[in-house]
Amino acid sequence: MAVDVAWLDNLTLAELETGADGIFSRLRKEAPIAWIPALNAWIATTWRHCHEIAEDAEHFRGGTSPAHDRVFGQPNVLSAEGQTHGELRRVIDPPLRPRAFKSTLDTTVRAAVRARLDELAGRTHVDLLADYFEPVSVRCVADRFGFTHISTDRLQRWFHSLSHAAARGLVDPEAYKGGDAAAAEIREVVEDMVERLRGRPDESAISHWLHDGMPDGEVRSIEHMLPSLLIILLGGLQEPGHACGSTFLGLTTRPEQLGRVVENPALLPKAVAEGLRWLSPLFSGASRVPNRDIELSGVRLRQGDTVWLCYGSANHDEAEFSRPEIYDLDRPAHGHLAFGTGRHACSGSAFAPQIARIALEELLARHPRIRLEPDHEIIVRGWMFRGATELPVRMPRRPRKSRAASRYSFRARSVEEAETFSAPPQPDGRGTADGDCERPPSARGPDTDGAGHLPQRAVSTKSITWSAAVC
C-alpha cells in the first residue's frame, strides 16, 4: 500500500535544520527516496540506498547543488568524473594518505594541539567547540595544505562563511555574500602562494597541486585548483573539529564510557569512529545526478535531478544498526558512512580521525575531570552540516597526574587502529577508502555491547541536556 507523503509538500528548510532526526527517521520508514520540494531535490536516507546510488557509476554521476556550484565553481572534485576527477584526486589525495602524514603527527598535529591547550591554560569555563575543537581542526588541516601564515581566527571565519552559503544560499541569497567574500580572500591568498611556489616548490599540499604531473616550468592554473580547494577547505577545516565534538558529546551521554577512555586512550580510535557514526558532521553533504531517467525502489528519478545522499541518516538506519540513536563505545566494529563511499569518498577519511584522536587524547590527559556545564541545553542542528552549536564545559584547575607511558606507547599503532574503525565501508561491510589507501576489514556481529548488555540510555541528538564528570 502506498504511503502518503503529502506532509513533505509543506516541509520547510527551517524544519529540516532543527528537526532532522525525527524527519529522517520517518523518511527511512515511509519513503527512503523522497522528493523534498523545499530542496527541489530528492533525498536518500537509508544505508542501502545511499550505498547503491553512491556506488553506481553507470547510472549516476557526481553531483553538486546549484548552491554549491554558485559558491565553489567548476570543475570541482565533487561533481567531476572520468579523467578530470582522476586528475583532481591524484593531486588532492597523496598528502592525506597515512604514509604521507603519520610520521609527522607528533611534530605537527600534536604540537598544534598542545599549543592551543597552553593558550587555554587557567581557564575553567570554555566553549569546547569554538575555543578548542574548531581552532585545532582548522590549524592542523590548513598547515597541511600550506596556509601556515593564515591566522586561526581567519580560517574559522572562512569555513563558517562557506558553510552558511552552501547550506542556505538557495533559500536566502544574502547567505552568498559571506561565502563570496571568503572565496575572494582565499583566491587572493592562493595567488600570492602560487607566485612564491612557482619557482620554489616545497612539501605543502598546495605546492604539490601546482607542480605534480606538470611539465617542467609549468604549474596548474588557479581556475583549475580553486573550486576543489574551496571544497577541501570547507569540509576539511571543519570535519576533524566537529568529529571531536560528536565524540565528546556522545561520551558525555555515557559517563562510564568516558571514564574508560580517560583511563585508556587506546580506546579513542573506536570512540571517534562511533562519534562520527552517531552524529555525522557532513550529514547530507554529498549528492549524485542521474545520467538518464531511472526507476529505483519504485521511484522515478529524472535525468539531471539532484539526489542528496544523507549519510548521517544512513548511519542511523535501524535495519543496519541496533538502537542507532545511542552512542555506544562497545558497539561491534562496523563501517560507517561519515566520509561517504566509492569514488567520491572523502579524501580526508584517514587524516581527520587522527586529528580528532590526538585532540581528545591531549585534552583528556590534561583535564580528566572535564564535564559539560550542568543543566546547559546542548542544541544539535543542521541537515547538511550537523552538530552541536556549542559545547560549554568546566575544566577543573587541578588536573590528575597523567599516565604518560600508556599514552605514548599507544602512538606507534594508533594510525593503523584508527584506519580499521574509520574507513568508509563498501557494500560487503568492509572498510576501504576511495583511491589506493587500503584499510583492514571491519568485523560485524550482534549489536550489543562487549558484555552482551544493551546500551545504558537512549539519548536523542536533537536536543540534549546532560552533565557528566569523571572523578
Side-chain angles (χ1 to χ4, degrees):
M1 183 171 60
V3 177
D4 183 5
V5 292
W7 60 278
L8 293 174
D9 293 341
N10 298 317
L11 183 68
T12 67
L13 189 62
E15 290 171 326
L16 276 171
E17 285 286 306
T18 59
D21 279 342
I23 292 168
F24 288 119
S25 177
R26 185 175 178 182
L27 286 174
R28 287 194 298 271
K29 296 177 178 67
E30 297 180 5
I33 303 177
W35 176 257
I36 310 295
L39 301 176
N40 194 34
W42 299 91
I43 192 160
T45 55
T46 65
W47 180 274
R48 179 172 72 88
H49 290 103
C50 284
H51 256 297
E52 285 184 7
I53 295 171
E55 301 284 348
D56 186 353
E58 178 182 356
H59 298 103
F60 294 91
R61 58 179 172 84
T64 56
S65 73
H68 284 175
D69 289 342
R70 168 70 172 72
V71 173
F72 305 127
Q74 293 281 356
N76 68 65
V77 70
L78 292 179
S79 60
E81 292 288 0
Q83 181 178 349
T84 301
H85 180 252
E87 290 175 352
L88 289 170
R89 291 301 293 248
R90 279 192 292 274
V91 296
I92 292 171
D93 291 356
L96 298 174
R97 292 175 180 146
R99 63 175 173 266
F101 66 71
K102 68 180 182 178
S103 65
T104 66
L105 286 176
D106 283 338
T107 57
T108 56
V109 174
R110 195 175 297 276
V113 166
R114 289 176 173 172
R116 188 63 184 182
L117 284 172
D118 289 343
E119 292 176 14
L120 298 177
R123 294 178 57 181
T124 56
H125 298 262
V126 302
D127 177 355
L128 203 56
L129 191 63
D131 295 331
Y132 178 61
F133 290 150
E134 283 186 359
V136 163
S137 178
V138 299
R139 185 75 274 151
C140 293
V141 173
D143 287 355
R144 186 73 189 157
F145 278 84
F147 293 92
T148 55
H149 57 301
I150 304 300
S151 72
T152 299
D153 289 344
R154 191 179 186 188
L155 292 167
Q156 281 183 267
R157 178 169 54 79
W158 281 355
F159 95 70
H160 280 296
S161 298
L162 292 172
S163 173
H164 184 66
R168 295 199 54 82
L170 285 182
V171 295
D172 179 15
E174 288 293 308
Y176 286 131
K177 290 183 178 179
D180 290 344
E185 282 187 39
I186 294 168
R187 183 185 182 96
E188 183 177 349
V189 168
V190 172
E191 285 175 342
D192 290 341
M193 293 172 68
V194 169
E195 289 305 309
R196 173 174 56 84
L197 294 169
R198 186 184 300 274
R200 291 177 293 167
D202 58 25
E203 289 305 310
S204 67
I206 292 294
S207 183
H208 284 284
W209 280 31
L210 287 170
H211 293 279
D212 287 359
M214 297 296 291
D216 289 344
E218 296 184 24
V219 296
R220 289 182 175 85
S221 68
I222 289 181
E223 284 67 27
H224 180 85
M225 294 170 48
L226 192 62
S228 294
L229 179 60
L230 293 175
I231 289 169
I232 293 293
L233 290 176
L234 169 57
L237 290 181
Q238 66 90 23
E239 180 91 3
H242 291 182
C244 287
S246 296
T247 303
F248 180 81
L249 183 60
L251 285 168
T252 65
T253 70
R254 308 295 298 276
E256 81 290 352
Q257 294 190 0
L258 176 56
R260 286 165 53 198
V261 171
V262 170
E263 294 292 328
N264 181 14
L267 295 172
L268 274 168
K270 190 170 186 180
V272 171
E274 174 65 356
L276 285 164
R277 182 209 65 82
W278 180 68
L279 183 55
S280 304
L282 295 177
F283 201 78
S284 306
S287 64
R288 298 291 186 272
V289 176
N291 292 321
R292 56 181 179 272
D293 291 1
I294 182 174
E295 185 168 313
L296 188 62
S297 295
V299 174
R300 188 71 173 175
L301 306 177
R302 300 293 183 183
Q303 179 180 357
D305 284 350
T306 296
V307 184
W308 288 105
L309 304 180
C310 187
Y311 289 138
S313 174
N315 285 331
H316 275 232
D317 192 338
E318 296 82 356
E320 195 70 23
F321 300 95
S322 175
R323 303 184 73 182
E325 75 282 1
I326 294 174
Y327 179 95
D328 186 9
L329 180 64
D330 296 318
R331 190 177 296 278
H334 188 305
H336 61 72
L337 283 172
F339 295 109
T341 186
R343 66 197 184 280
H344 286 284
C346 178
S347 298
S349 61
F351 189 48
Q354 289 302 308
I355 298 174
R357 172 186 66 81
I358 292 172
L360 288 164
E361 181 181 332
E362 293 289 336
L363 174 71
L364 297 177
R366 291 202 194 190
H367 302 284
R369 297 172 58 220
I370 190 172
R371 60 190 175 101
L372 290 173
E373 287 282 2
D375 303 321
H376 185 96
E377 185 181 34
I378 302 298
I379 303 297
V380 174
R381 61 180 294 133
W383 75 273
M384 181 178 290
F385 308 106
R386 186 160 177 78
T389 57
E390 58 180 357
L391 287 174
V393 298
R394 292 184 179 180
M395 301 193 299
R397 289 181 182 275
R398 188 174 62 186
R400 203 166 50 184
K401 185 177 180 180
S402 64
R403 288 164 302 281
S406 64
R407 287 196 295 118
Y408 289 99
S409 63
F410 166 58
R411 284 194 227 159
R413 56 193 176 93
S414 57
V415 174
E416 289 76 11
E417 288 188 356
E419 290 167 15
T420 302
F421 294 117
S422 66
Q426 296 300 304
D428 61 1
R430 294 196 304 271
T432 307
D434 188 20
D436 48 51
C437 183
E438 296 185 354
R439 293 165 171 78
S442 296
R444 304 183 66 168
D447 223 343
T448 56
D449 67 21
H453 304 302
L454 291 174
Q456 175 185 351
R457 174 177 175 178
V459 180
S460 170
T461 54
K462 180 180 179 181
S463 181
I464 302 172
T465 304
W466 194 265
S467 63
V470 181
C471 300

